[in-house]
Amino acid sequence: MSASLRSRVSFFHILACFTLLAAPAVAGDRALLIGVGNYQNLPAEFSLPGPANDLIAMQKLLTERLGFDSTSIRVLKDGQATRAEILSSMNGWLVDATKPGDRVYLYFSGHGLQVKDADGDEADGLDEAIAPADIAAGETDWQGAVLDDEIDVVLERLKGRAVTVVIDACHSGTISRSLSEDIAKPIEGARFLPRPDAKSVEQALTRGLRIDLALVDKPKLVEAGVIAWSAAAPYQVAWDDVRLPTADRHGVFTAAFVAGQTGDAADANGNGLTSNAELLEYVKAQSASYCASQEQCGNLDPQLEGKPEALGDSAMVPEKRDADGNGQGAYTIAPNAAVPTYQAASAIDAVGDIIGKSEADDVMLSIDRPTTLKAGEVFKLTVNSRTAGNLLLFDVSGQGKATQIFPNEFAQKITTLAPGVPLILPDEYYGFDFEASGEGDGIFVALVVSDAVDLSDLAPIARGLKVEVDARETLSEIVARLQKNWTEDLDTRGIHWSVGTLRYRVE
């Protein structure tokens, strides 16, 4: 029996090259930045110094990197950010002043909280909310919060716009139980208001409850194109950076989010384009670094909600880069975008943008001959992982097609990779060899998933070595699944997975 892996490429024609650092401002674009560090009806110890600095950083990001004109940005700071003004600005400034095809940006920095669910749409009986400047504590609950349901209504009215929501706050239901001996007192730097009637309970008893962090908790809004960034996962805490002097503090998430879009630190594959997936991995790494320095922090996993196909899109207009690294980049406009969104024109370069992770030699791919092969040449692949996990292995061609090499029905066993034990493909049980065909560049992509995540619908065994699929679509759907929260043990955290790639050429 014989088989060949089609590893052909004809280099994509450069569809577009862009020299701008930011998108051109559009008259209908609108941004609403809300930062609340001082609360009118709360004790001074609930104040947060970070939001004031966050607003400055976000204004600079919007005008210098994202192409918003300063006149298109409304800022509500502290006492300006009352419940009435927040809702009025959301509806008037963001909805009424824009039309389909415009960009809309909503940002909040301050305290998050939970209140009793009034309409029965929350499984845990609690609505997630943000705290305006005039929030007040009632006898049993907070009064005057801006609910996630209210924000969802605004987002529904923004249909057809390119909407980005960024929330540097948290809604953790366990912060007051797990971090504070006195649940009525705040924790320095924590962006969360415990409920006024909160009772101290055993933390383990509450870990099975699902609490949605995201303010965008309706799938139809994500399907409509809303992209939502959040500072933490459910049961986690968003933080002011308490390592800094009080006057210089900022949100840990906001600082990383801005830094990842103002230089090339987040550009993991170095192609001059910082994708949404790369930005997410960057803010996760920065957040984890902060938590490693703080005893109370625990885990911190920022979240990104949006269509999977947006993972490889640039978070801003990419800079042009030439062959010497001075600007030549082959970028194209992503299909079906409400406003121009850019992605790598090369399907091979796009792999790194979609995956987002920097490779750290956790997964090593090798071939038993030079990576420049002759058409018809027989070869074997070896995968070696530092951690145990289930393997997904793809061959991506320059034409944007992906062949699933593993799992496949020809392998004798589909088993978990053992740490440090190489897997050689194909082995003698396959009954055939891998043979290079066609011409051009390609890339092998190995994903090793350490947690028991079911990916059988996205990478079925029956498809292995038989069917070519769209590489961007398939990898985006898999990575989006791997970005979900792991909730099968006591700590909500990110799913553990790693990646390795190997570029090659067939002549």
Side-chain angles (χ1 to χ4, degrees):
M1 182 178 182
S2 65
S4 63
L5 291 179
R6 300 194 174 185
S7 307
R8 304 163 304 191
V9 76
S10 59
F11 285 110
F12 278 15
H13 176 68
I14 295 178
L15 298 177
C17 290
F18 301 93
T19 59
L20 298 177
L21 294 182
V26 178
D29 289 352
R30 288 288 185 271
L32 177 61
L33 307 182
I34 306 164
V36 186
N38 297 310
Y39 289 85
Q40 299 170 5
N41 303 312
L42 301 183
E45 56 262 33
F46 281 97
S47 296
L48 295 169
N53 294 323
D54 290 343
L55 289 176
I56 295 171
M58 287 300 298
Q59 283 180 276
K60 187 175 181 180
L61 174 68
L62 287 174
T63 57
E64 296 185 4
R65 295 295 296 162
L66 302 184
F68 282 78
D69 190 273
S70 60
T71 60
S72 69
I73 303 171
R74 176 173 289 184
V75 178
L76 301 179
K77 178 182 176 182
D78 291 337
Q80 300 169 325
T82 62
R83 169 181 162 80
E85 186 56 42
I86 289 174
L87 292 175
S88 175
S89 292
M90 285 182 181
N91 286 288
W93 184 254
L94 296 183
V95 178
D96 296 341
T98 61
K99 62 184 184 303
D102 293 336
R103 291 184 299 165
V104 171
Y105 210 99
L106 173 62
Y107 171 81
F108 176 81
S109 173
H111 279 305
L113 64 147
Q114 292 178 309
V115 296
K116 186 176 180 180
D117 176 27
D119 59 10
D121 69 335
E122 301 286 354
D124 58 5
L126 296 171
D127 271 318
E128 288 70 46
I130 59 175
D134 56 346
I135 195 169
E139 290 186 6
T140 61
D141 216 336
W142 293 107
Q143 305 297 317
V146 177
L147 306 181
D148 59 348
D149 290 344
E150 295 174 300
I151 296 175
D152 285 343
V153 170
V154 172
L155 296 178
E156 288 173 354
R157 293 186 64 203
L158 288 167
K159 183 178 180 179
R161 285 78 158 172
V163 181
T164 302
V165 180
V166 182
I167 304 296
D168 195 347
C170 66
H171 311 85
S172 171
T174 59
I175 176 175
S176 60
R177 303 159 188 159
S178 62
L179 298 181
S180 177
E181 295 181 1
D182 185 346
I183 60 176
K185 290 185 178 181
I187 302 164
E188 184 182 16
R191 295 187 166 195
F192 175 77
L193 295 177
R195 300 184 72 201
D197 66 339
K199 301 294 190 296
S200 182
V201 299
E202 290 295 327
Q203 182 180 357
L205 296 179
T206 68
R207 286 301 180 96
L209 296 178
R210 179 178 182 273
I211 296 179
D212 291 325
L213 166 73
L215 293 179
V216 181
D217 58 3
K218 291 180 172 56
K220 66 180 181 180
L221 294 176
V222 172
E223 282 302 310
V226 173
I227 294 178
W229 295 85
S230 303
Y235 293 114
Q236 295 179 349
V237 181
W239 297 91
D240 260 19
D241 191 338
V242 298
R243 299 170 299 184
L244 300 173
T246 300
D248 298 332
R249 289 183 185 175
H250 45 64
V252 171
F253 171 79
T254 296
F257 185 73
V258 171
Q261 296 179 76
T262 52
D264 59 5
D267 181 13
N269 65 350
N271 69 336
L273 183 154
T274 297
S275 67
N276 288 317
E278 288 175 317
L279 180 58
L280 177 62
E281 292 298 328
Y282 178 79
V283 296
K284 281 185 175 183
Q286 296 302 305
S287 297
S289 177
Y290 176 79
C291 273
S293 71
Q294 302 297 312
E295 183 177 353
Q296 290 184 313
C297 189
N299 294 325
L300 187 53
D301 294 286
Q303 303 288 289
L304 170 62
E305 290 179 282
K307 291 182 178 180
E309 56 262 37
L311 288 175
D313 292 350
S314 181
M316 75 289 292
V317 175
E319 295 185 50
K320 188 178 177 183
R321 303 205 173 226
D322 62 24
D324 296 322
N326 302 315
Q328 179 92 29
Y331 309 125
T332 184
I333 297 177
N336 304 317
V339 299
T341 304
Y342 306 99
Q343 58 185 210
S346 165
I348 295 174
D349 287 343
V351 167
D353 293 330
I354 293 167
I355 292 173
K357 286 179 176 285
S358 297
E359 295 186 44
D361 293 330
D362 293 323
V363 180
M364 287 156 282
L365 270 171
S366 60
I367 191 169
D368 64 342
R369 60 196 62 255
T371 54
T372 298
L373 299 94
K374 300 293 185 182
E377 193 169 10
V378 172
F379 64 91
K380 292 183 182 292
L381 288 171
T382 299
V383 184
N384 201 331
S385 176
R386 289 182 177 175
T387 58
N390 293 318
L391 171 67
L392 299 180
L393 180 61
F394 295 91
D395 174 23
V396 176
S397 73
Q399 291 90 348
K401 298 299 182 181
T403 300
Q404 180 179 306
I405 303 176
F406 194 89
N408 65 72
E409 60 185 14
F410 302 103
Q412 184 183 37
K413 293 182 179 180
I414 306 297
T415 58
T416 300
L417 290 180
V421 178
L423 173 68
I424 299 175
L425 302 170
D427 59 29
E428 64 268 24
Y429 297 102
Y430 278 50
F432 57 83
D433 296 317
F434 289 168
E435 181 181 300
S437 65
E439 292 183 355
D441 292 354
I443 186 170
F444 295 114
V445 183
L447 305 174
V448 177
V449 185
S450 298
D451 290 316
V453 182
D454 185 5
L455 297 169
S456 59
D457 58 326
L458 301 179
I461 292 175
R463 193 172 69 188
L465 296 173
K466 292 182 176 180
V467 180
E468 285 188 330
V469 296
D470 184 272
R472 296 182 197 245
E473 179 181 345
T474 299
L475 289 176
S476 295
E477 289 177 345
I478 291 171
V479 173
R481 183 78 58 83
L482 296 176
Q483 289 175 348
K484 302 297 182 183
N485 297 315
W486 180 254
T487 57
E488 298 303 315
D489 48 31
L490 289 181
D491 287 327
T492 294
R493 56 169 174 80
I495 292 170
H496 291 156
W497 61 285
S498 48
V499 62
T501 62
L502 178 67
R503 292 190 180 224
Y504 65 91
R505 182 172 180 80
V506 178
E507 295 181 341

